[in-house]
């Protein structure tokens, strides 16, 4: 499949959708929703420079290793868990789950109701809601050790999910900000259509085209599990690896229910392709 990508016979977007489908991801399953990468690291500039490598996220590393300090913390966690004989992994949360998908799309139905259902019937605390692209990137790439989320396809084609067209009362943050439309980077000029246009340009840029295969290795390829994943700081809780857990051989209904609930709430690694 890679030759067709290298020859520019298909777009990066189409190729990622193809891989997601091969790996069992589907729009019909929030727990295995198509996963797309963060491709940018610049959410503060007035203009977006797609010729500058520093504009982009490091696609060779998972979200948990985007900064040296954060990477070392997760490596330390991995070895501390090893000493305690617990489930050994770098991350106990996942980069794609039903709640992550619903939180991104919360301003649109039926995702609004899905999100509320997953939250016990109401919206989350306003400060934890998806309200800013910049702050979400900072959380997932640097600030929050429980957040390693990636993106969903809609970030590259659907401006409507960024606006609160239905006027949902999403709450008020501690700093007094009333949640409405998603706050966009300065280079989008407050225009969701411009954000999607430039974001899609970034996905199809020369830089991303030259490095996207490295991210694919992490999510769908040989760095997904095993020693290569350990070396890449890319291991997740064992329950996230659905194809590695044979539920048919687990006789204890409590244990089986716990595993199914874990996968349902926290996500699942794609099938390796």
């Amino acid at each position: 499949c890679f030759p067709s990508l290298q020859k520019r016979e298909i777009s990066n977007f189409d190729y990622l959708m193809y891989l997601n489908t091969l790996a069992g991801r589907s729009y019909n399953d929030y727990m295995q929703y198509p996963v797309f990468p963060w491709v940018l690291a610049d959410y503060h500039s007035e203009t977006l420079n797609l010729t500058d490598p520093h504009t982009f996220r490091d696609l060779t590393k998972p979200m948990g290793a985007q900064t040296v300090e954060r990477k070392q913390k997760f490596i330390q966690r991995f070895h501390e868990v090893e000493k305690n004989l617990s489930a050994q992994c770098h991350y106990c949360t996942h980069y794609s789950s039903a709640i992550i998908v619903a939180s991104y799309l919360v301003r649109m139905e039926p995702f609004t109701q899905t999100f509320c259902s997953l939250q016990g019937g109401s919206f989350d605390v306003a400060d934890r809601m998806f309200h800013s692209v910049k702050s979400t990137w900072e959380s997932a790439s640097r600030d929050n050790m429980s957040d390693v989320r990636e993106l969903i396809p809609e970030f590259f084609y659907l401006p409507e999910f960024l606006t609160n067209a239905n006027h949902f009362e999403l709450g008020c943050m501690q700093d007094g900000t009333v949640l409405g439309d998603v706050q966009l980077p300065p280079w989008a000029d407050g225009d969701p259509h411009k954000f999607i246009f430039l974001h899609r340009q970034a996905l199809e840029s020369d830089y991303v085209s030259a490095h996207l295969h490295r991210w694919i290795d992490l999510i769908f390829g040989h760095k997904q599990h095993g020693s290569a994943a350990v070396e890449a700081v890319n291991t997740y809780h064992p329950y996230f690896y659905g194809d590695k857990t044979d539920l048919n051989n687990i006789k204890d209904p409590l244990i089986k229910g716990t595993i199914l609930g874990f996968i349902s709430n926290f996500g699942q690694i794609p099938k390796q392709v």
Side-chain angles (χ1 to χ4, degrees):
C1 296
F2 282 118
S4 62
L5 188 65
Q6 293 167 349
K7 294 176 183 177
R8 305 293 177 93
E9 293 177 356
I10 61 173
S11 67
N12 291 336
F13 181 92
D14 288 339
Y15 189 70
L16 287 172
M17 284 303 302
Y18 175 67
L19 285 177
N20 271 283
T21 302
L22 282 181
R25 315 293 286 191
S26 169
Y27 283 117
N28 297 319
D29 187 348
Y30 292 167
M31 291 180 289
Q32 296 194 76
Y33 207 78
V35 56
F36 269 57
W38 288 94
V39 294
L40 293 174
D42 182 355
Y43 298 97
H44 57 270
S45 297
E46 293 294 329
T47 58
L48 191 62
N49 184 358
L50 296 181
T51 64
D52 183 357
H54 294 98
T55 297
F56 298 92
R57 166 256 182 99
D58 188 343
L59 289 161
T60 70
K61 296 180 175 66
M63 289 303 293
Q66 290 296 304
T67 69
V68 174
E69 180 182 8
R70 183 169 156 99
K71 177 181 177 181
Q72 290 305 316
K73 287 180 180 179
F74 280 119
I75 291 174
Q76 181 181 355
R77 172 191 285 179
F78 182 89
H79 293 301
E80 286 177 350
V81 170
E82 183 179 28
K83 293 176 184 176
N84 295 331
L85 300 177
S86 184
Q88 189 174 21
C89 60
H90 294 106
Y91 315 115
C92 295
T93 55
H94 197 246
Y95 51 77
S96 177
S97 66
I99 193 64
I100 289 173
V101 172
S103 69
Y104 281 145
L105 300 173
V106 69
R107 291 163 177 80
M108 297 174 58
E109 291 288 14
F111 303 99
T112 310
Q113 293 304 314
T114 300
F115 181 84
C116 289
S117 177
L118 291 170
Q119 285 293 128
S122 62
F123 292 119
D124 197 1
V125 175
D127 287 83
R128 291 200 297 259
M129 296 279 285
F130 172 52
H131 67 277
S132 161
V133 178
K134 178 177 180 286
S135 65
T136 302
W137 159 255
E138 291 173 346
S139 172
S141 67
R142 187 187 69 197
D143 296 339
N144 188 346
M145 292 291 285
S146 298
D147 184 3
V148 292
R149 75 184 69 185
E150 292 279 7
L151 299 182
I152 54 176
E154 285 82 353
F155 272 85
F156 301 94
Y157 70 83
L158 189 69
E160 287 78 11
F161 88 96
L162 297 166
T163 63
N164 187 21
N166 292 313
H167 305 291
F168 292 119
E169 295 184 3
L170 303 172
C172 183
M173 299 174 63
Q174 289 184 354
D175 65 3
T177 301
V178 177
L179 265 61
D181 297 345
V182 175
Q183 296 173 12
L184 302 176
W187 45 258
D189 295 326
D191 183 349
H193 290 83
K194 185 173 182 179
F195 172 83
I196 294 295
F197 176 76
L198 292 174
H199 205 215
R200 183 65 173 266
Q201 275 196 327
L203 178 64
E204 305 299 341
S205 67
D206 289 340
Y207 180 90
V208 172
S209 295
H211 296 86
L212 185 58
H213 66 285
R214 304 291 294 276
W215 181 83
I216 291 170
D217 287 342
L218 295 168
I219 306 300
F220 300 104
H222 75 286
K223 293 183 179 179
Q224 189 189 77
H225 57 79
S227 59
V230 175
E231 185 176 348
V233 194
N234 192 44
T235 66
Y236 298 81
H237 192 285
Y239 288 170
F240 292 147
Y241 298 85
D243 58 338
K244 305 299 179 187
T245 305
D246 189 355
L247 293 174
N248 293 325
N249 288 331
I250 298 176
K251 304 304 181 184
D252 189 324
L254 183 59
I255 295 176
K256 182 181 288 188
T258 299
I259 295 174
L260 287 172
F262 202 96
I263 294 171
S264 175
N265 287 311
F266 297 107
Q268 190 170 351
I269 300 289
K271 295 177 183 176
Q272 190 174 30
V273 297

